[in-house]
Coordinates of all heavy atoms in Angstrom, one line a residue:
M10 N -1.1 26.8 30.5 CA -0.5 25.5 30.4 C 0.9 25.6 31.1 O 1.7 26.5 30.8 CB -0.3 25.1 28.9 CG 0.4 23.7 28.7 SD 0.5 23.2 27.0 CE -1.1 22.9 26.5
D11 N 1.1 24.7 32.0 CA 2.4 24.8 32.7 C 3.6 24.2 31.9 O 3.3 23.6 30.9 CB 2.3 24.1 34.1 CG 2.1 22.6 34.0 OD1 1.5 22.2 33.0 OD2 2.5 21.9 35.0
F12 N 4.8 24.4 32.4 CA 6.0 24.1 31.6 C 6.1 22.6 31.4 O 6.5 22.2 30.3 CB 7.2 24.6 32.4 CG 8.5 24.4 31.6 CD1 8.8 25.1 30.5 CD2 9.4 23.5 32.1 CE1 10.0 24.9 29.8 CE2 10.6 23.2 31.4 CZ 10.9 24.0 30.3
A13 N 5.7 21.8 32.4 CA 5.9 20.3 32.3 C 5.0 19.8 31.1 O 5.4 18.9 30.3 CB 5.6 19.7 33.6
K14 N 3.7 20.2 31.1 CA 2.8 19.8 30.0 C 3.3 20.2 28.7 O 3.2 19.4 27.7 CB 1.4 20.3 30.3 CG 0.7 19.6 31.4 CD -0.7 20.1 31.5 CE -1.4 19.5 32.7 NZ -2.8 20.0 32.9
L15 N 3.9 21.4 28.6 CA 4.4 21.9 27.3 C 5.6 21.0 26.8 O 5.7 20.7 25.7 CB 4.8 23.4 27.5 CG 5.2 24.1 26.2 CD1 4.1 24.1 25.2 CD2 5.7 25.5 26.5
C16 N 6.4 20.7 27.8 CA 7.6 19.8 27.4 C 7.2 18.5 27.0 O 7.7 17.9 26.0 CB 8.5 19.7 28.6 SG 9.4 21.2 29.0
I17 N 6.2 17.9 27.6 CA 5.7 16.5 27.2 C 5.1 16.6 25.9 O 5.3 15.7 25.0 CB 4.7 16.0 28.3 CG1 5.5 15.7 29.6 CG2 4.0 14.8 27.8 CD1 4.6 15.4 30.8
E18 N 4.3 17.6 25.6 CA 3.6 17.8 24.3 C 4.7 17.9 23.2 O 4.6 17.3 22.1 CB 2.7 18.9 24.3 CG 1.9 19.1 23.0 CD 0.9 20.2 23.1 OE1 0.1 20.2 24.1 OE2 0.9 21.0 22.2
N19 N 5.7 18.8 23.4 CA 6.7 19.0 22.4 C 7.5 17.7 22.2 O 7.9 17.4 21.1 CB 7.7 20.1 22.9 CG 7.0 21.5 22.7 OD1 6.1 21.6 21.9 ND2 7.5 22.5 23.4
F20 N 7.8 17.0 23.3 CA 8.5 15.7 23.2 C 7.7 14.7 22.3 O 8.3 14.0 21.5 CB 8.8 15.1 24.6 CG 9.6 13.9 24.5 CD1 11.0 14.0 24.3 CD2 9.1 12.7 24.8 CE1 11.8 12.8 24.2 CE2 9.9 11.5 24.8 CZ 11.2 11.6 24.5
A21 N 6.4 14.6 22.5 CA 5.6 13.7 21.7 C 5.7 14.1 20.2 O 5.7 13.2 19.4 CB 4.1 13.8 22.2
W22 N 5.7 15.4 19.9 CA 5.8 15.8 18.5 C 7.2 15.4 17.9 O 7.3 15.0 16.8 CB 5.6 17.3 18.4 CG 4.1 17.7 18.3 CD1 3.4 18.2 19.2 CD2 3.3 17.4 17.1 NE1 2.1 18.4 18.8 CE2 2.0 17.9 17.5 CE3 3.5 16.9 15.9 CZ2 0.9 17.8 16.6 CZ3 2.4 16.8 15.0 CH2 1.1 17.3 15.4
I23 N 8.2 15.6 18.7 CA 9.6 15.2 18.3 C 9.6 13.7 18.0 O 10.2 13.3 16.9 CB 10.6 15.6 19.3 CG1 10.7 17.2 19.4 CG2 12.0 15.0 19.0 CD1 11.5 17.7 20.6
I24 N 9.1 12.9 18.8 CA 9.1 11.4 18.6 C 8.3 11.1 17.3 O 8.7 10.3 16.5 CB 8.5 10.7 19.8 CG1 9.3 10.9 21.0 CG2 8.3 9.2 19.5 CD1 10.7 10.3 20.9
Y25 N 7.2 11.8 17.1 CA 6.3 11.6 15.9 C 7.1 11.9 14.7 O 7.1 11.2 13.7 CB 5.1 12.4 16.0 CG 4.2 12.3 14.8 CD1 3.4 11.2 14.5 CD2 4.1 13.4 13.9 CE1 2.6 11.1 13.4 CE2 3.3 13.3 12.8 CZ 2.6 12.2 12.5 OH 1.8 12.1 11.4
I26 N 7.8 13.0 14.7 CA 8.6 13.5 13.5 C 9.8 12.5 13.3 O 10.1 12.2 12.1 CB 9.1 14.9 13.7 CG1 7.9 15.9 13.6 CG2 10.1 15.3 12.6 CD1 8.2 17.3 14.0
M27 N 10.4 12.0 14.3 CA 11.5 11.1 14.2 C 11.0 9.8 13.6 O 11.7 9.2 12.7 CB 12.2 10.9 15.5 CG 13.0 12.0 16.0 SD 13.6 11.8 17.7 CE 14.7 10.4 17.5
E28 N 9.8 9.3 13.9 CA 9.3 8.1 13.4 C 9.0 8.3 11.9 O 9.2 7.4 11.1 CB 8.0 7.7 14.1 CG 8.3 7.1 15.5 CD 7.0 6.8 16.2 OE1 5.9 7.1 15.7 OE2 7.1 6.2 17.3
L29 N 8.5 9.4 11.5 CA 8.2 9.7 10.1 C 9.5 9.7 9.3 O 9.6 9.1 8.2 CB 7.5 11.1 9.9 CG 6.1 11.2 10.3 CD1 5.6 12.6 10.2 CD2 5.2 10.2 9.5
I30 N 10.6 10.3 9.8 CA 11.8 10.4 9.1 C 12.4 9.0 9.0 O 12.9 8.6 7.9 CB 12.8 11.3 9.8 CG1 12.3 12.7 9.7 CG2 14.2 11.1 9.3 CD1 13.1 13.7 10.6
Y31 N 12.3 8.2 10.1 CA 12.8 6.8 10.0 C 12.1 6.0 9.0 O 12.7 5.3 8.2 CB 12.7 6.2 11.4 CG 13.0 4.7 11.5 CD1 14.4 4.3 11.4 CD2 12.1 3.7 11.5 CE1 14.7 3.0 11.5 CE2 12.4 2.4 11.6 CZ 13.8 2.0 11.5 OH 14.1 0.7 11.6
N32 N 10.8 6.1 8.9 CA 10.0 5.3 7.9 C 10.3 5.8 6.5 O 10.4 5.0 5.6 CB 8.5 5.4 8.2 CG 8.1 4.7 9.4 OD1 8.7 3.7 9.8 ND2 7.0 5.1 10.1
L33 N 10.5 7.1 6.3 CA 10.9 7.6 5.0 C 12.3 7.1 4.6 O 12.5 6.7 3.4 CB 10.9 9.1 5.0 CG 11.3 9.8 3.7 CD1 10.2 9.5 2.7 CD2 11.3 11.3 3.9
Q34 N 13.2 7.0 5.5 CA 14.5 6.4 5.2 C 14.4 5.0 4.8 O 15.1 4.5 3.9 CB 15.5 6.6 6.4 CG 15.9 8.1 6.6 CD 16.7 8.3 7.8 OE1 16.8 7.4 8.7 NE2 17.4 9.4 7.9
K35 N 13.6 4.2 5.5 CA 13.4 2.8 5.2 C 12.8 2.7 3.8 O 13.2 1.8 3.0 CB 12.5 2.1 6.2 CG 13.1 1.7 7.5 CD 12.3 0.8 8.4 CE 10.9 0.6 8.1 NZ 10.1 -0.1 9.1
F36 N 11.9 3.5 3.5 CA 11.2 3.5 2.2 C 12.2 3.8 1.1 O 12.3 3.2 0.0 CB 10.0 4.4 2.1 CG 9.2 4.3 0.9 CD1 8.4 3.2 0.6 CD2 9.2 5.3 -0.1 CE1 7.7 3.1 -0.5 CE2 8.5 5.2 -1.2 CZ 7.7 4.1 -1.4
E37 N 13.0 4.8 1.3 CA 14.1 5.2 0.3 C 15.1 4.1 0.1 O 15.6 3.9 -1.0 CB 14.7 6.5 0.7 CG 13.8 7.8 0.6 CD 14.5 9.0 1.1 OE1 15.5 8.9 1.7 OE2 13.9 10.1 0.8
L38 N 15.4 3.4 1.2 CA 16.4 2.3 1.1 C 15.8 1.2 0.3 O 16.5 0.6 -0.6 CB 16.7 1.8 2.5 CG 17.7 0.7 2.6 CD1 19.1 1.2 2.1 CD2 17.9 0.2 4.0
I39 N 14.5 0.9 0.4 CA 13.8 -0.1 -0.4 C 13.9 0.3 -1.8 O 14.2 -0.5 -2.7 CB 12.4 -0.4 0.1 CG1 12.4 -1.1 1.5 CG2 11.6 -1.2 -0.8 CD1 11.1 -1.1 2.2
L40 N 13.5 1.5 -2.1 CA 13.5 2.0 -3.5 C 14.9 2.0 -4.1 O 15.1 1.7 -5.3 CB 12.9 3.4 -3.6 CG 11.4 3.4 -3.3 CD1 10.9 4.9 -3.4 CD2 10.6 2.6 -4.3
A41 N 16.0 2.3 -3.3 CA 17.3 2.3 -3.8 C 17.8 1.0 -4.2 O 18.6 0.8 -5.1 CB 18.2 3.0 -2.8
K42 N 17.3 -0.1 -3.5 CA 17.7 -1.4 -3.8 C 17.0 -2.0 -5.0 O 17.3 -3.0 -5.5 CB 17.4 -2.3 -2.6 CG 18.4 -2.1 -1.4 CD 18.1 -3.1 -0.4 CE 19.0 -3.0 0.8 NZ 18.7 -4.0 1.9
G43 N 16.0 -1.2 -5.5 CA 15.3 -1.7 -6.7 C 14.1 -2.6 -6.3 O 13.6 -3.2 -7.2
L44 N 13.8 -2.7 -5.0 CA 12.7 -3.6 -4.6 C 11.5 -2.7 -4.5 O 11.5 -1.5 -4.1 CB 13.1 -4.2 -3.2 CG 14.3 -5.0 -3.2 CD1 14.6 -5.4 -1.7 CD2 14.2 -6.2 -4.0
E45 N 10.4 -3.4 -4.7 CA 9.1 -2.7 -4.5 C 8.6 -3.0 -3.1 O 8.8 -4.1 -2.6 CB 8.1 -3.1 -5.6 CG 8.4 -2.7 -7.0 CD 7.3 -3.1 -7.9 OE1 6.2 -3.3 -7.5 OE2 7.6 -3.1 -9.1
P46 N 8.0 -2.0 -2.5 CA 7.4 -2.3 -1.2 C 6.4 -3.4 -1.3 O 5.7 -3.5 -2.3 CB 6.8 -1.0 -0.7 CG 7.2 0.0 -1.7 CD 7.8 -0.7 -2.9
S47 N 6.3 -4.2 -0.3 CA 5.4 -5.4 -0.3 C 3.9 -4.9 0.0 O 3.6 -4.4 1.1 CB 5.7 -6.4 0.7 OG 5.7 -5.9 2.0
V48 N 3.1 -4.9 -1.1 CA 1.7 -4.5 -1.0 C 0.9 -5.7 -1.6 O 1.2 -6.1 -2.7 CB 1.5 -3.2 -1.7 CG1 0.0 -2.9 -1.7 CG2 2.3 -2.1 -1.2
R49 N 0.0 -6.1 -0.8 CA -0.8 -7.2 -1.3 C -2.2 -6.7 -1.7 O -2.8 -5.9 -1.0 CB -1.0 -8.3 -0.2 CG 0.3 -9.0 0.1 CD 0.1 -10.1 1.0 NE 1.4 -10.7 1.3 CZ 1.4 -11.9 1.9 NH1 0.4 -12.5 2.3 NH2 2.6 -12.4 2.1
F50 N -2.7 -7.2 -2.8 CA -4.0 -6.8 -3.3 C -4.9 -8.1 -3.2 O -4.5 -9.2 -3.6 CB -4.0 -6.3 -4.7 CG -3.2 -5.0 -4.8 CD1 -1.9 -5.0 -5.3 CD2 -3.8 -3.8 -4.5 CE1 -1.2 -3.9 -5.4 CE2 -3.1 -2.7 -4.6 CZ -1.8 -2.7 -5.0
A51 N -6.1 -7.9 -2.7 CA -7.0 -9.1 -2.6 C -8.1 -8.8 -3.7 O -8.6 -7.7 -3.8 CB -7.7 -9.1 -1.2
R52 N -8.4 -9.9 -4.4 CA -9.4 -9.8 -5.4 C -10.8 -9.9 -4.7 O -11.0 -10.6 -3.8 CB -9.3 -11.0 -6.4 CG -8.1 -10.9 -7.3 CD -8.3 -12.0 -8.3 NE -7.1 -12.1 -9.1 CZ -6.8 -11.4 -10.2 NH1 -7.7 -10.6 -10.6 NH2 -5.7 -11.5 -10.8
I53 N -11.7 -9.0 -5.2 CA -13.1 -9.1 -4.7 C -13.8 -10.2 -5.4 O -14.6 -10.9 -4.7 CB -13.7 -7.7 -5.0 CG1 -13.0 -6.6 -4.2 CG2 -15.2 -7.7 -4.6 CD1 -13.5 -5.2 -4.5
T54 N -13.6 -10.4 -6.6 CA -14.3 -11.5 -7.4 C -13.2 -12.4 -7.9 O -12.0 -12.0 -8.0 CB -15.1 -11.0 -8.6 OG1 -14.2 -10.3 -9.4 CG2 -16.2 -10.0 -8.1
R55 N -13.5 -13.6 -8.1 CA -12.5 -14.6 -8.6 C -12.1 -14.3 -10.0 O -12.9 -13.7 -10.8 CB -12.9 -16.0 -8.4 CG -14.0 -16.5 -9.4 CD -14.2 -18.0 -9.1 NE -15.0 -18.5 -10.2 CZ -14.5 -18.9 -11.4 NH1 -13.2 -18.8 -11.6 NH2 -15.3 -19.3 -12.4
K56 N -10.9 -14.6 -10.4 CA -10.4 -14.4 -11.7 C -11.0 -15.3 -12.7 O -11.2 -16.5 -12.4 CB -8.8 -14.6 -11.7 CG -8.2 -14.2 -13.0 CD -6.7 -14.3 -12.8 CE -6.0 -14.0 -14.1 NZ -4.5 -14.1 -14.0
V57 N -11.4 -14.8 -13.9 CA -12.0 -15.6 -14.9 C -10.9 -16.2 -15.8 O -10.0 -15.5 -16.3 CB -12.9 -14.7 -15.8 CG1 -13.6 -15.6 -16.9 CG2 -14.0 -14.1 -14.9
G58 N -11.0 -17.6 -16.0 CA -10.0 -18.2 -16.8 C -10.4 -18.1 -18.3 O -11.6 -17.8 -18.6
G59 N -9.4 -18.3 -19.2 CA -9.7 -18.1 -20.6 C -10.7 -19.0 -21.2 O -11.4 -18.7 -22.2
N60 N -10.7 -20.3 -20.7 CA -11.6 -21.3 -21.3 C -12.9 -21.3 -20.6 O -13.8 -22.2 -20.9 CB -10.9 -22.6 -21.2 CG -9.8 -22.7 -22.2 OD1 -9.9 -22.2 -23.3 ND2 -8.7 -23.4 -21.8
E61 N -13.2 -20.5 -19.6 CA -14.5 -20.5 -18.9 C -15.5 -19.6 -19.7 O -15.1 -18.8 -20.5 CB -14.3 -19.9 -17.5 CG -13.4 -20.8 -16.6 CD -13.3 -20.2 -15.3 OE1 -14.1 -19.3 -14.9 OE2 -12.4 -20.6 -14.6
P62 N -16.8 -19.8 -19.5 CA -17.8 -19.0 -20.2 C -17.6 -17.5 -19.7 O -17.3 -17.2 -18.6 CB -19.1 -19.6 -19.7 CG -18.8 -20.9 -19.1 CD -17.4 -20.9 -18.7
C63 N -17.9 -16.6 -20.7 CA -17.7 -15.2 -20.4 C -18.8 -14.8 -19.4 O -20.0 -15.1 -19.5 CB -17.8 -14.4 -21.7 SG -17.4 -12.7 -21.5
P64 N -18.4 -13.9 -18.4 CA -19.4 -13.5 -17.4 C -20.4 -12.5 -18.0 O -21.4 -12.2 -17.3 CB -18.5 -12.8 -16.4 CG -17.2 -12.6 -17.0 CD -17.1 -13.5 -18.1
C65 N -20.2 -12.0 -19.2 CA -21.2 -11.1 -19.8 C -22.5 -11.8 -20.2 O -23.5 -11.2 -20.5 CB -20.6 -10.3 -21.0 SG -20.4 -11.3 -22.5
G66 N -22.4 -13.1 -20.3 CA -23.6 -13.9 -20.7 C -23.8 -14.2 -22.1 O -24.8 -14.7 -22.6
S67 N -22.8 -14.0 -23.0 CA -22.9 -14.2 -24.4 C -22.8 -15.7 -24.8 O -23.3 -16.0 -25.9 CB -21.7 -13.5 -25.1 OG -20.5 -14.1 -24.8
G68 N -22.3 -16.5 -23.9 CA -22.2 -17.9 -24.2 C -20.9 -18.3 -24.8 O -20.6 -19.5 -25.0
K69 N -20.1 -17.3 -25.2 CA -18.8 -17.6 -25.7 C -17.8 -17.8 -24.6 O -18.0 -17.5 -23.5 CB -18.3 -16.4 -26.6 CG -19.1 -16.1 -27.8 CD -18.6 -14.9 -28.5 CE -19.4 -14.4 -29.7 NZ -18.9 -13.2 -30.3
K70 N -16.6 -18.4 -25.0 CA -15.5 -18.5 -24.0 C -15.0 -17.0 -23.8 O -15.0 -16.2 -24.6 CB -14.4 -19.3 -24.6 CG -14.7 -20.8 -24.7 CD -13.5 -21.6 -25.1 CE -13.8 -23.0 -25.1 NZ -12.6 -23.8 -25.5
Y71 N -14.5 -16.9 -22.6 CA -14.0 -15.5 -22.1 C -12.9 -15.0 -23.1 O -12.8 -13.9 -23.4 CB -13.5 -15.6 -20.7 CG -12.9 -14.3 -20.2 CD1 -13.8 -13.2 -19.9 CD2 -11.6 -14.2 -20.0 CE1 -13.2 -12.0 -19.4 CE2 -11.0 -13.0 -19.5 CZ -11.9 -11.9 -19.2 OH -11.4 -10.7 -18.8
K72 N -12.0 -16.0 -23.5 CA -10.8 -15.5 -24.3 C -11.3 -15.1 -25.7 O -10.6 -14.4 -26.4 CB -9.8 -16.6 -24.4 CG -10.2 -17.9 -25.1 CD -9.1 -18.9 -25.1 CE -9.5 -20.2 -25.7 NZ -8.5 -21.2 -25.7
R73 N -12.4 -15.5 -26.2 CA -13.0 -15.1 -27.5 C -13.9 -14.0 -27.4 O -14.4 -13.4 -28.4 CB -13.7 -16.3 -28.1 CG -12.8 -17.5 -28.3 CD -12.1 -17.5 -29.6 NE -11.4 -18.8 -29.8 CZ -10.2 -18.8 -30.3 NH1 -9.6 -17.7 -30.7 NH2 -9.6 -20.0 -30.4
C74 N -14.3 -13.6 -26.2 CA -15.3 -12.5 -26.0 C -14.7 -11.3 -25.4 O -13.9 -10.6 -26.0 CB -16.5 -13.0 -25.2 SG -17.9 -11.9 -25.1
C75 N -14.9 -11.1 -24.1 CA -14.4 -9.9 -23.4 C -12.9 -10.0 -23.1 O -12.2 -8.9 -23.0 CB -15.1 -9.7 -22.1 SG -16.9 -9.3 -22.3
G76 N -12.4 -11.2 -23.0 CA -10.9 -11.3 -22.8 C -10.1 -11.1 -24.0 O -8.8 -11.0 -23.9
A77 N -10.7 -11.0 -25.2 CA -9.9 -10.8 -26.4 C -9.3 -9.4 -26.5 O -8.3 -9.1 -27.1 CB -10.8 -11.0 -27.6
N78 N -9.9 -8.4 -25.8 CA -9.5 -7.0 -25.8 C -8.4 -6.7 -24.8 O -7.8 -5.6 -24.8 CB -10.7 -6.1 -25.5 CG -11.8 -6.3 -26.6 OD1 -11.5 -6.6 -27.7 ND2 -13.0 -6.1 -26.2
I79 N -8.1 -7.7 -24.0 CA -7.0 -7.4 -22.9 C -5.7 -7.8 -23.4 O -5.4 -8.7 -24.1 CB -7.4 -8.2 -21.6 CG1 -8.7 -7.6 -21.1 CG2 -6.3 -8.1 -20.6 CD1 -9.3 -8.3 -19.9

């Protein structure tokens, strides 16, 4: 491997490490401010309301059946 390729490869690693440090500093700044990082969760199934029939099939309302334990 010639010297130029070695320099380019090392430079790429240096840039990668600098990006990691920058992102870590941003994350620490977010945590220091008491803010949580913005992460969104998508529901796979829709949320069951308390007055809807229980999805277990008992015929009771969700809040009186499986939702009573939550």
Side-chain angles (χ1 to χ4, degrees):
M10 182 179 287
D11 65 333
F12 183 72
K14 287 183 181 179
L15 185 63
C16 288
I17 291 171
E18 186 176 308
N19 286 340
F20 185 73
W22 276 107
I23 290 169
I24 296 296
Y25 176 74
I26 292 169
M27 288 174 61
E28 287 176 353
L29 287 175
I30 292 170
Y31 175 75
N32 289 334
L33 181 62
Q34 288 174 343
K35 278 188 353 185
F36 187 71
E37 287 176 349
L38 182 64
I39 289 171
L40 291 178
K42 288 183 178 180
L44 303 174
E45 292 185 19
S47 59
V48 178
R49 294 185 179 194
F50 295 99
R52 291 189 186 273
I53 296 173
T54 59
R55 72 175 194 84
K56 186 175 179 181
V57 180
N60 288 324
E61 295 180 17
C63 189
C65 74
S67 66
K69 297 179 183 178
K70 289 184 178 181
Y71 178 71
K72 66 182 177 184
R73 303 270 184 222
C74 188
C75 296
N78 299 329
I79 296 177

